[in-house]
Amino acid sequence: MQSTYRNSITKLERHISFRLKIKSVAALNVIISVLTAASAAEAAERIFVPSLEIREEYNDNIYLVANGKKGDYITALIPGIRLSRNTERTNLELLANLKWHTYQQTGIDSLDYQYQANMNRKLTLRDDLGLNASYSRNSRLDNINQESGIPASSETVMTQYSVSYRRSVTEKTSASASYSYSDTNYDDPTLTSYRAHSAQLSATRDMESVLPMLKASLTTNLSRGLYSDSTNDNGSIRLVLDKGINEKTRLNLSAGGRYTTSTTTVTNAATQTKSEFNSDSKGFVGSAGLTYTGEKTFGSLNLSRDVSNSSGQGATSEITSISLATGIGLTENTSFQTSATYSNSH
């Protein structure tokens, strides 16, 4: 594995964020149910929900540098809308939001956006199909890829597509398969744009006979990252246990292994001849998570170790992270949340 470790990117979210989120505005929340002439079973529910998120953050290293760090307070204003149409067998959803960030001390602003479309279709009583597409632009000064933990302090445009299929084999057993494709581009010539393919197979079993509120899953994942001068392949398998401690608290544990191979093409500037270099590595992947969902309060604590394509770096990264989030519902449509995240990539 090509090393991309940078001490300066270790990100302790002293980038701590405080969020006030208005999920819907009652006066504008329009729900219309339309019954077709064919059958009442084909009822379509159309929903329009506007939202507004106000976020205050602090980052102690907004320029993502090893020396001469500078901190700043960041105010985010994120308006959005959700349009959906639901029938007995099909759910359609369109989401869009704008993200305006202003840095209080440096006086820098950024305006970004994200669009997403989802469709879920119940093919039969046992079979479900899901489709997803999204397009986003991120030009934040302290932009860090959330999957790889690698900085990309430039405009980033990402397109993603995915398809998933799930089948209920028995009352206690289900199987699923999914495929996703992403295309990430940067306006900074020092960063490497890339494409990524990922496929996943999973089998889940209800283990109530062993322990109450316990589910076990076996998951395999294959992914390929395609860069201008390199290709990175990663395969992993893991066992996942999900246990309900009580009605409000759940514990999720996963453990497994991964194998990663990289092929890099190097061009000799003098002779213009090309040479290929191969490397491989293996290691542990896993996670532990605890979530609590009360009547008004909620919280989560997550630790994870995984491998991801390094955004803009032309390699893979091994990522260790820990995150904590807590929140409270102020009203039916408004919540307040605070979160902190630490990640280390190499």
Side-chain angles (χ1 to χ4, degrees):
M1 181 189 302
Q2 182 177 341
S3 175
T4 60
Y5 174 74
R6 298 187 181 182
N7 190 50
S8 62
I9 18 167
T10 298
K11 185 185 179 186
L12 172 60
E13 280 184 320
R14 303 190 195 117
H15 198 144
I16 296 175
S17 63
F18 299 91
R19 305 180 183 183
L20 177 64
K21 187 170 185 179
I22 304 172
K23 295 180 181 178
S24 63
V25 180
L28 297 177
N29 188 9
V30 181
I31 303 178
I32 305 174
S33 296
V34 178
L35 298 180
T36 63
S39 170
E42 292 298 319
E45 180 186 57
R46 294 177 173 84
I47 303 174
F48 169 65
V49 182
S51 65
L52 176 64
E53 182 174 350
I54 303 170
R55 185 189 304 169
E56 187 67 29
E57 306 176 8
Y58 177 75
N59 189 336
D60 69 339
N61 187 12
I62 60 171
Y63 293 113
L64 307 173
V65 294
N67 300 308
K69 296 181 181 180
K70 180 178 177 59
D72 204 345
Y73 292 93
I74 308 158
T75 300
L77 185 65
I78 308 174
I81 58 170
R82 176 171 67 90
L83 301 172
S84 61
R85 182 181 185 275
N86 305 318
T87 66
E88 186 177 354
R89 298 179 61 182
T90 305
N91 297 323
L92 298 173
E93 185 177 55
L94 297 175
L95 302 100
N97 62 52
L98 295 176
K99 298 181 179 181
W100 176 71
H101 295 89
T102 182
Y103 295 74
Q104 303 298 332
Q105 297 178 14
T106 56
I108 298 174
D109 293 340
S110 68
L111 181 61
D112 300 308
Y113 47 81
Q114 181 177 13
Y115 309 108
Q116 184 173 326
N118 305 308
M119 187 198 79
N120 292 290
R121 172 74 173 175
K122 196 166 189 63
L123 303 176
T124 69
L125 290 176
R126 292 178 176 267
D127 303 281
D128 297 280
L129 176 69
L131 300 174
N132 171 273
S134 65
Y135 181 85
S136 64
R137 175 185 182 269
N138 190 343
S139 60
R140 283 189 59 164
L141 181 64
D142 54 341
N143 180 14
I144 290 185
N145 184 279
Q146 297 302 307
E147 293 184 357
S148 67
I150 300 297
S153 300
S154 70
E155 180 180 316
T156 305
V157 175
M158 177 181 290
T159 306
Q160 292 179 302
Y161 306 98
S162 67
V163 58
S164 62
Y165 170 77
R166 182 181 179 275
R167 179 173 176 80
S168 297
V169 182
T170 67
E171 289 185 359
K172 295 186 176 182
T173 306
S174 63
S176 63
S178 64
Y179 166 79
S180 64
Y181 169 82
S182 64
D183 188 351
T184 306
N185 295 279
Y186 306 93
D187 67 352
D188 185 345
T190 64
L191 297 175
T192 304
S193 299
Y194 72 98
R195 293 170 291 129
H197 301 266
S198 179
Q200 180 174 292
L201 294 174
S202 180
T204 302
R205 174 75 176 177
D206 190 324
M207 306 295 288
E208 286 274 355
S209 59
V210 179
L211 283 174
M213 295 188 288
L214 175 66
K215 290 185 178 181
S217 301
L218 185 64
T219 301
T220 60
N221 183 276
L222 296 173
S223 64
R224 165 167 284 191
L226 300 171
Y227 302 84
S228 58
D229 58 359
S230 66
T231 300
N232 301 306
D233 295 311
N234 183 69
S236 66
I237 184 169
R238 67 184 75 196
L239 176 66
V240 182
L241 298 176
D242 187 82
K243 174 74 171 68
I245 299 175
N246 52 49
E247 292 183 356
K248 297 180 179 180
T249 308
R250 298 199 69 86
L251 176 66
N252 184 281
L253 301 172
S254 73
R258 57 92 185 162
Y259 181 73
T260 306
T261 63
S262 299
T263 302
T264 303
T265 302
V266 178
T267 303
N268 187 302
T271 63
Q272 292 300 305
T273 57
K274 295 183 177 182
S275 303
E276 284 192 353
F277 296 90
N278 299 306
S279 64
D280 59 72
S281 65
K282 55 187 176 181
F284 167 80
V285 292
S287 64
L290 185 67
T291 59
Y292 171 82
T293 306
E295 185 176 346
K296 288 188 176 182
T297 58
F298 53 91
S300 65
L301 175 64
N302 293 283
L303 299 90
S304 69
R305 182 179 179 87
D306 209 341
V307 165
S308 175
N309 291 305
S310 297
S311 178
Q313 302 295 318
T316 53
S317 291
E318 194 168 51
I319 308 153
T320 302
S321 65
I322 178 171
S323 63
L324 173 67
T326 59
I328 183 171
L330 303 178
T331 68
E332 182 180 355
N333 299 316
T334 308
S335 62
F336 177 82
Q337 178 179 332
T338 179
S339 62
T341 302
Y342 171 86
S343 64
N344 187 309
S345 308
H346 68 274

